[in-house]
């Protein structure tokens, strides 16, 4: 694993997600899929599923019988762990739910904010080669807590035309209303615009491959989206007391996701840096996904040696990492130094994997430096707010002149007149 000094650090890690030079051919392909689904509906979705997933489907909507069959295929141990995760995720997210509020500032004036759940959401869950029941819980449960009345889920089918049983059981446990055997850009288009079978939704959430991410970008505006997720990333802040075995394991837990995942450690100790590099090499040989992780570490894995923790946190805040682990002495004391991070893990016994499955906070996090301005997925993403304004006749009269002056300054005489006619009692 490459070790560099803090002063050598530039923008190399941030540039891996640079989209300033878009792939026009890629975009044309995605837009072609979206347009085809909009015009041809179910038939287009079925054709693309056969073409990209190698599955000729008779129906896209998962039946109750298929869910019952999936329940028989998972172990009691899995179901017990899934329900434990559900309980913790639910408990955490219930604290996020916002309430409507109202203020009576003066006699005759009532102002407020009405909080309302969105009507429908479509959740994308990656599938086909892998299964992500945790992603189901992290997207569906906050929507359920928010009060979304219609939750749909799309996920690519396996080669046998079925959905992975762990994903199906998770969707059933989370209260998903409709499950469709559809993936890729065609699934995003179907959720955004609707087909004969797939109902249009108000918002689309969930991670996916490059086609899914780009399709979400192109349908945004016609529907809302949560974020455009990039490759996974982790940053570990370490000192001379950090356990290199733990740090290496956590770095590799992200490197195994994707060849473009970034695993970075910022440390104040050159001795630790050397031990960590050796430990990463050792543990890498033991991974099932060794080839993927090795490419990630080679291209985007870095150990950055700095002189002070202040310098370390300057780098952290420039990176704005998806996952940040503070594996240093008294990590709580340094929490205020973190401005930009998707999720912050404190101490050596709070590994990133804990957050992925069981801790409770959402694992759908901002990537590619977007933690500088955005937040983890939460209940608030499935709710919207409306301003509420009430003025009595007397209260309006008190501010009428000021409203008209401001309206006329903007040359909006119709605005001014809407106040004038009331002031005149007409």
């Amino acid at each position: 694993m490459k070790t560099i000094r803090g002063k050598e650090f530039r923008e190399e890690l941030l540039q891996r997600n640079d989209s300033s030079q878009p792939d026009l051919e890629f975009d044309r392909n995605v837009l072609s899929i979206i347009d085809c689904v909009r015009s041809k509906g179910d038939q287009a979705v079925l054709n693309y599923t056969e073409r990209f997933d190698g599955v000729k489907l008779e129906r896209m909507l998962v039946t109750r019988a298929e869910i019952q069959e999936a329940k028989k295929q998972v172990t009691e141990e899995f179901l017990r762990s899934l329900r434990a995760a559900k309980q913790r995720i639910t408990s955490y997210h219930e604290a996020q739910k916002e309430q409507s509020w109202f203020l009576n500032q003066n006699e005759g004036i009532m102002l407020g904010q009405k909080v309302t759940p969105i009507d429908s959401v479509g959740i994308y869950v990656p599938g086909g080669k892998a299964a992500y029941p945790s992603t189901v819980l992290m997207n569906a449960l906050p929507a359920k807590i928010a009060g979304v009345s219609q939750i749909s889920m799309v996920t690519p089918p396996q080669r046998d035309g079925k959905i992975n049983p762990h994903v199906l059981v998770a969707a059933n446990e989370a209260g998903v209303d409709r499950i469709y055997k559809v993936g890729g850009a065609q699934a995003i288009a179907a959720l955004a615009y609707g087909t004969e079978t797939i109902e249009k939704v108000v918002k689309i959430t969930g991670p996916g491959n490059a086609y899914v991410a780009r399709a979400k970008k192109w349908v945004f505006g016609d529907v809302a989206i949560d974020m455009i997720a990039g490759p996974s990333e982790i940053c570990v802040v370490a000192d001379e007391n950090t356990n290199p075995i733990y740090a290496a394991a956590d770095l590799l837990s992200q490197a195994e996701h994707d060849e473009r995942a970034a695993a970075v450690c910022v440390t104040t100790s050159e001795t630790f840096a050397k031990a960590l590099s050796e430990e990463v090499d050792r543990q890498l040989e033991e991974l099932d996904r060794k080839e993927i992780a090795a490419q990630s570490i080679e291209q985007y894995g870095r150990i950055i040696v700095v002189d002070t923790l202040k310098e370390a946190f300057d780098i952290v805040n420039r990176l704005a990492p998806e996952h940040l682990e503070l594996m240093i002495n008294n990590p709580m004391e340094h929490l205020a130094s973190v401005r930009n991070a998707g999720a912050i893990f404190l101490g050596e016994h709070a590994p990133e994997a804990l957050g992925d499955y069981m801790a409770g906070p959402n694992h759908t996090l901002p990537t590619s430096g977007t933690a500088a301005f955005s937040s983890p997925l939460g209940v608030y993403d499935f709710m919207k707010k409306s301003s509420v304004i009430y003025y009595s006749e007397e209260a309006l009269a008190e501010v009428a002149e000021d409203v008209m002056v401001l309206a006329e300054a903007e040359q909006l005489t119709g605005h001014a007149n809407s106040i004038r006619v009331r002031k005149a009692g007409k």
Side-chain angles (χ1 to χ4, degrees), residues 55-189:
V55 180
K56 188 175 181 64
L57 294 175
E58 294 183 4
R59 72 173 73 87
M60 291 181 283
L61 183 65
V62 171
T63 65
R64 176 54 53 180
E66 287 176 289
I67 295 173
Q68 294 302 320
E69 180 187 352
K71 288 180 180 179
K72 298 175 183 177
Q73 296 176 344
V74 301
T75 65
E76 284 297 322
E77 182 183 31
F78 168 78
L79 194 56
R80 184 170 57 253
S81 296
L82 184 76
R83 287 172 174 168
K86 175 186 174 183
Q87 187 277 322
R88 290 170 183 264
I89 295 165
T90 298
S91 179
Y92 178 87
H93 286 81
E94 281 177 341
Q96 294 180 337
K97 190 170 183 179
E98 298 176 84
Q99 302 296 325
S100 300
W101 53 266
F102 301 93
L103 298 174
N104 292 304
Q105 289 187 322
N106 298 299
E107 187 174 348
I109 300 175
M110 188 274 287
L111 304 175
Q113 183 171 268
K114 183 178 182 295
V115 180
T116 309
I118 61 175
D119 291 333
S120 57
V121 64
I123 297 168
Y124 190 96
V125 177
K129 295 180 181 179
Y132 298 98
S134 61
T135 297
V136 179
L137 298 184
M138 292 292 185
N139 283 263
L141 292 176
K144 204 74 177 177
I145 292 166
V148 177
S149 57
Q150 185 66 46
I151 303 175
S152 299
M153 187 183 93
V154 292
T155 188
Q158 301 175 138
R159 285 287 182 175
D160 59 3
K162 297 179 179 180
I163 301 300
N164 181 281
H166 297 93
V167 170
L168 271 188
V169 170
N172 185 64
E173 289 286 322
V176 174
D177 298 295
R178 290 188 176 91
I179 306 167
Y180 302 100
K181 307 174 188 179
V182 181
Q186 62 271 25
I188 300 300

Side-chain angles (χ1 to χ4, degrees), residues 4-71:
I4 60 176
R5 293 292 306 182
K7 62 183 180 181
E8 300 172 36
F9 176 75
R10 294 293 182 265
E11 301 299 319
E12 56 179 291
L13 296 173
L14 302 177
Q15 288 172 357
R16 84 188 198 285
N17 299 309
D18 183 12
S19 59
S20 60
Q21 300 295 328
D23 186 332
L24 297 180
E25 183 62 29
F26 185 83
D27 275 346
R28 277 193 287 268
N29 290 336
V30 172
L31 285 169
S32 174
I33 292 170
I34 293 171
D35 289 342
C36 189
V37 171
R38 292 188 73 173
S39 62
K40 298 181 180 178
D42 279 359
Q43 191 56 56
V45 176
L46 290 169
N47 289 344
Y48 284 125
T49 301
E50 184 174 4
R51 175 179 168 186
F52 296 134
D53 298 309
V55 180
K56 188 175 181 64
L57 294 175
E58 294 183 4
R59 72 173 73 87
M60 291 181 283
L61 183 65
V62 171
T63 65
R64 176 54 53 180
E66 287 176 289
I67 295 173
Q68 294 302 320
E69 180 187 352
K71 288 180 180 179

Side-chain angles (χ1 to χ4, degrees), residues 246-286:
Y246 293 173
D250 293 356
L251 292 171
L252 290 171
S253 74
Q254 292 308 289
E256 73 172 352
H257 268 297
D258 188 327
E259 293 89 346
R260 295 177 65 220
V264 178
C265 177
V266 187
T267 181
T268 54
S269 170
E270 291 192 13
T271 301
F272 171 80
K274 183 176 184 300
L276 176 63
S277 181
E278 293 172 354
E279 187 61 30
V280 167
D281 290 343
R282 187 188 70 78
Q283 291 189 28
L284 186 59
E285 295 300 316
E286 301 172 357

Side-chain angles (χ1 to χ4, degrees), residues 139-406:
N139 283 263
L141 292 176
K144 204 74 177 177
I145 292 166
V148 177
S149 57
Q150 185 66 46
I151 303 175
S152 299
M153 187 183 93
V154 292
T155 188
Q158 301 175 138
R159 285 287 182 175
D160 59 3
K162 297 179 179 180
I163 301 300
N164 181 281
H166 297 93
V167 170
L168 271 188
V169 170
N172 185 64
E173 289 286 322
V176 174
D177 298 295
R178 290 188 176 91
I179 306 167
Y180 302 100
K181 307 174 188 179
V182 181
Q186 62 271 25
I188 300 300
L191 289 173
Y193 303 108
T195 70
E196 298 90 330
T197 298
I198 301 174
E199 291 191 19
K200 172 179 167 51
V201 299
V202 173
K203 187 168 188 173
I204 300 172
T205 71
N209 62 18
Y211 279 89
V212 170
R214 206 64 183 169
K216 286 172 70 177
K217 181 180 179 71
W218 283 114
V219 302
F220 175 62
D222 292 327
V223 293
I225 63 172
D226 53 348
M227 63 186 76
I228 300 173
S232 189
E233 55 206 23
I234 185 171
C235 179
V236 174
V237 178
D239 57 24
E240 67 278 3
N241 297 311
T242 302
N243 187 326
I245 297 175
Y246 293 173
D250 293 356
L251 292 171
L252 290 171
S253 74
Q254 292 308 289
E256 73 172 352
H257 268 297
D258 188 327
E259 293 89 346
R260 295 177 65 220
V264 178
C265 177
V266 187
T267 181
T268 54
S269 170
E270 291 192 13
T271 301
F272 171 80
K274 183 176 184 300
L276 176 63
S277 181
E278 293 172 354
E279 187 61 30
V280 167
D281 290 343
R282 187 188 70 78
Q283 291 189 28
L284 186 59
E285 295 300 316
E286 301 172 357
L287 288 183
D288 290 343
R289 295 167 67 88
K290 174 185 172 182
E291 291 186 7
I292 293 173
Q295 289 187 55
S296 167
I297 292 297
E298 173 65 26
Q299 296 179 89
Y300 305 113
R302 297 291 184 274
I303 302 171
I304 304 170
V305 180
V306 296
D307 294 325
T308 65
L309 281 176
K310 181 183 182 303
E311 187 181 355
F313 284 112
D314 286 344
I315 290 173
V316 165
N317 288 318
R318 286 180 62 200
L319 281 173
E322 178 186 13
H323 307 98
L324 173 65
E325 293 188 0
L326 303 187
M327 296 180 68
I328 53 180
N329 283 336
N330 304 313
M332 194 70 180
E333 293 181 6
H334 299 280
L335 189 57
S337 298
V338 180
R339 297 194 309 277
N340 303 324
I344 305 167
F345 301 81
L346 303 176
E348 64 179 16
H349 299 299
E352 182 278 331
L354 176 67
D356 270 355
Y357 300 109
M358 192 61 63
N362 210 286
H363 77 199
T364 304
L365 302 166
T367 62
S368 310
T370 59
F373 54 80
S374 56
S375 308
L377 188 72
V379 174
Y380 38 76
D381 286 298
F382 300 98
M383 307 190 83
K384 58 191 179 68
K385 304 174 181 73
S386 302
S387 301
V388 178
I389 303 166
Y390 167 79
Y391 268 61
S392 67
E393 182 179 355
E394 293 76 17
L396 176 60
E398 290 184 13
V399 299
E401 288 297 332
D402 290 333
V403 175
M404 289 189 290
V405 167
L406 293 172

